[in-house]
Amino acid sequence: MIRITRSLACLAGLALLPLLAAACTQTASGPPPGMSAAQASAYCSKLSWAYGEYVASGLGDSAGDDDNTNADINARLAIAQCHEGQTGAAIPVLQQELRRNKVPVPPV
């Protein structure tokens, strides 16, 4: 009897995962608090440019995983999110990657 209850609870939890994922993407897709969509888009472009210019080109001081694969994937995803207008999710990632590579983060 307990085994059936646990299975049902597990299934119920799995059923909620898509809803939670959707909620997370909905809150992180717009501009960060205190920024208009235009300001966030311009700032995201600035961060993307800095990442491409200094980190992706090899001028930054990378200090992450052995071959920086995960960091590079995260940054490229963030750059794609910038282009799609999901600046709330992209800006913190790009700022973090610039800092991690000891590249000054552009002012807002």
Side-chain angles (χ1 to χ4, degrees):
M1 187 70 162
I2 293 174
R3 176 170 261 156
I4 293 172
T5 306
R6 283 186 182 172
S7 296
L8 289 174
C10 185
L11 286 174
L14 290 174
L16 291 176
L17 285 177
L19 296 174
L20 292 173
C24 289
T25 57
Q26 290 298 324
T27 58
S29 65
M35 286 184 149
S36 69
Q39 290 170 325
S41 179
Y43 185 57
C44 211
S45 293
K46 208 187 279 190
L47 293 171
S48 296
W49 178 86
Y51 182 85
E53 187 70 18
Y54 298 109
V55 180
S57 67
L59 297 177
D61 181 20
S62 53
D65 50 340
D66 293 337
D67 61 358
N68 289 327
T69 305
N70 289 338
D72 188 54
I73 290 169
N74 291 341
R76 290 179 189 272
L77 175 62
I79 291 168
Q81 288 173 323
C82 280
H83 293 298
E84 294 171 359
Q86 298 176 5
T87 54
I91 288 173
V93 172
L94 290 170
Q95 289 173 326
Q96 176 186 0
E97 289 307 313
L98 290 172
R99 287 185 188 107
R100 191 179 63 76
N101 285 280
K102 297 180 176 65
V103 174
V105 176
V108 177

